[in-house]
Amino acid sequence: MRWALVKVSLAVTTMVVLAFAVPLGLVIREMARDRAFSNAERQAAAVAPALSITTDRDQLERVVASAGSDSGMAVHIPASGKTAAVDLGRRRAAEGDIATVRRLGRASTTEVPGGSTLLQPVALSSGEIAVVEVYVPDSEVTNGLATAWAVLAGVGIALIVGSVAVADRLGVRMVRPAQRLVEGAHELGEGKLGARVPEEGPTELRLAAVAFNAMADQVVQLLANERELAADLSHRLRTPLTVLRLNAASLGDGPAAEQTRAAVAQLEGEVDTIIRTAREAKPQTVAAGPGAGCDAAEVVRERMAFWSALAEDEGRKVRVAGVDRPVRIPVARADLAAALDALLGNVFRHTPEGTAFAVDVHNGEDAVIVLVSDAGPGIADPEAAMARGHGSGSAGSTGLGLDIVRRLAESTGGDVRIGSSVLGGTEVRLWIQLDGRAPVRRGHRGTVRRRRPGRLVSTFNRSRSLP
């Protein structure tokens, strides 16, 4: 915007300067020419009184010399009776031009090599017409013209530079508040809730800054209210969790009882984490520096150890693949564990007992795939299942679990895709990007295909079936 204003000002000022400078330059040239020929006319007029009195050559030569123009002036007196013609000075005009001026009795100018001549007719006492010729060189016509044009050009350039400088200052006054508004919007979009914009500049931008600051204050207030609401709702779970923990303590010994007590303890820990996070002044963010993240293989082994006991009680066949080697991913351990628990919990919640399931981890050059598949009835509408608040449509399904998985994948630039499993049921593919690329915007969540490395695809296709 700033440079656009400068360019417009430069173009307009240049056109205005040219519109005035060109005609003014031509006027100055005509004025210089008129000045030179006026001087020539005065010189010719100085000789005219002497010609009206005498035609003696010696006397006329003294008159011409006294006029100071003996080198540029010539006098042509025609023959009269017994008096021969007299020519004083150097003739530059053609004989025909002199004869024409003598016949018409009018002054005239004619072009000659190196300049022009003024031919001035003068009446003699004998009735004949003499012609006074005054030479006007080109140097005299253009004398002072270059200086005048230089001054005119300097004034024009000064006007253009001044106009550009003023336009630049005006542009800065308009653009700087706009840039601050853009920077504030970017900072607010990046989660810097303290970003505010100075309320200065032109009226429109000042009003925009006021509206932006009001919006930012409202966003902060809404987030604070949301955190408090989340904390309050989570705190309400403490009472039923306490009762559940006491009941689990009375179950006695046994694998099922231990699993129940462990699940209750984990649930209490998650509720405490939610309350603490919601009450914090700043949202938590996952570190993205060197060494951040976790070992996906280790997290999968740990969570499968928990879910395998429940699978054994329900008679489900379980298979885990790709966890024999470390697989580093740029995701926090707790976040990946929550995503796996959401996916595996959906398997137990929405498939009949005895349904087999598998978890595969595929490590590629720039991405890691975590594949959770089952032999259940499948999902009729995968796109609706990915929508937050909708779920698969079955009882107890809200879609929040898959939304957790989706946000985890998109935070790395990956995505989540739901399809049909080779086991006959649902296949959820969690794509975790390793190279730190920005998340890809999607029109339909969970159904967009991404370009996969060739080695990763071949491994992915070879290990999708249960043994």
Side-chain angles (χ1 to χ4, degrees):
M1 181 179 179
R2 172 184 175 184
W3 294 115
L5 184 60
V6 170
K7 290 178 181 178
V8 171
S9 175
L10 177 61
V12 172
T13 307
T14 302
M15 288 189 293
V16 171
V17 168
L18 291 177
F20 282 93
V22 172
L24 188 58
L26 297 177
V27 169
I28 292 175
R29 188 181 67 177
E30 291 300 322
M31 290 177 61
R33 180 181 176 86
D34 292 342
R35 182 183 68 247
F37 280 95
S38 295
N39 292 333
E41 289 177 357
R42 285 195 297 270
Q43 294 175 14
V47 181
L51 287 174
S52 62
I53 297 173
T54 180
T55 58
D56 183 68
R57 185 183 187 92
D58 294 335
Q59 293 181 2
L60 291 177
E61 285 180 352
R62 286 194 295 270
V63 172
V64 171
S66 65
S69 302
D70 53 342
S71 62
M73 180 181 293
V75 178
H76 309 292
I77 302 174
S80 175
K82 296 180 180 181
T83 305
V86 177
D87 286 321
L88 297 178
R90 177 184 174 185
R91 175 186 294 180
R92 291 180 174 86
E95 183 65 32
D97 295 333
I98 296 174
T100 300
V101 170
R102 186 178 287 121
R103 183 179 67 255
L104 297 177
R106 268 199 319 263
S108 176
T109 59
T110 180
E111 299 291 333
V112 296
S116 302
T117 59
L118 172 66
L119 301 178
Q120 180 69 43
V122 177
L124 301 176
S125 59
S126 62
E128 297 293 335
I129 300 297
V131 177
V132 179
E133 176 184 350
V134 181
Y135 173 63
V136 181
D138 289 337
S139 59
E140 187 175 349
V141 173
T142 59
N143 183 28
L145 189 60
T147 302
W149 281 358
V151 172
L152 187 61
V155 172
I157 293 175
L159 288 175
I160 293 174
V161 173
S163 174
V164 170
V166 172
D168 181 69
R169 291 300 91 195
L170 292 176
V172 169
R173 184 173 177 269
M174 295 178 61
V175 171
R176 187 168 295 168
Q179 289 177 342
R180 291 174 180 171
L181 185 61
V182 172
E183 292 172 359
H186 283 306
E187 291 179 358
L188 187 63
E190 293 172 356
K192 299 177 182 178
L193 302 181
R196 296 297 183 273
V197 178
E199 299 173 1
E200 58 186 20
T203 304
E204 293 79 6
L205 292 176
R206 188 166 59 251
L207 294 176
V210 171
F212 175 84
N213 293 336
M215 178 195 67
D217 293 337
Q218 187 175 8
V219 168
V220 172
Q221 185 62 39
L222 291 175
L223 289 177
N225 295 340
E226 184 180 353
R227 286 195 298 267
E228 288 299 325
L229 179 60
D232 293 341
L233 292 177
S234 301
H235 194 273
R236 295 179 187 178
L237 297 176
R238 287 187 178 276
T239 299
L241 278 176
T242 302
V243 176
L244 184 60
R245 179 168 55 80
L246 294 176
N247 291 338
S250 64
L251 292 178
D253 299 330
E258 292 298 329
Q259 291 289 337
T260 302
R261 283 190 284 269
V264 172
Q266 182 183 3
L267 183 57
E268 285 183 327
E270 293 294 339
V271 170
D272 292 339
T273 301
I274 293 174
I275 294 176
R276 287 194 302 270
T277 303
R279 291 279 168 83
E280 287 181 354
K282 295 181 179 180
Q284 291 182 342
T285 56
V286 178
C294 66
D295 182 1
E298 180 183 356
V299 176
V300 170
R301 289 196 302 267
E302 176 186 328
R303 300 317 303 157
M304 287 303 297
F306 172 81
W307 289 101
S308 295
L310 183 58
E312 183 178 354
D313 292 340
E314 294 187 359
R316 297 175 182 267
K317 293 183 179 180
V318 181
R319 194 205 63 154
V320 183
V323 296
D324 51 338
R325 296 179 181 179
V327 180
R328 297 294 303 181
I329 59 174
V331 174
R333 181 186 186 91
D335 294 340
L336 180 60
L340 287 173
D341 287 342
L343 293 176
L344 295 174
N346 284 341
V347 174
F348 283 87
R349 190 177 298 112
H350 302 299
T351 61
E353 294 187 6
T355 302
F357 67 94
V359 178
D360 299 279
V361 179
H362 304 278
N363 188 11
E365 295 178 358
D366 61 353
V368 170
I369 287 180
V370 178
L371 183 69
V372 178
S373 55
D374 62 63
I379 298 177
D381 191 352
E383 185 172 349
M386 290 297 300
R388 182 181 176 89
H390 292 78
S392 63
S394 59
S397 176
T398 63
L400 297 182
L402 288 177
D403 187 67
I404 293 173
V405 178
R406 178 188 59 78
R407 286 189 285 112
L408 171 70
E410 290 184 353
S411 67
T412 68
D415 64 6
V416 176
R417 181 168 167 245
I418 300 177
S420 299
S421 168
V422 293
L423 302 179
T426 303
E427 173 185 280
V428 180
R429 187 208 66 179
L430 171 60
W431 181 286
I432 300 174
Q433 198 69 32
L434 299 180
D435 54 7
R437 289 182 294 182
V440 178
R441 296 186 180 273
R442 300 168 178 82
H444 304 283
R445 297 175 179 172
T447 60
V448 178
R449 297 180 180 269
R450 293 176 58 93
R451 180 181 59 83
R452 305 180 179 88
R455 185 171 67 85
L456 183 58
V457 172
S458 61
T459 305
F460 171 74
N461 291 331
R462 286 198 301 268
S463 57
R464 293 174 62 184
S465 59
L466 286 170

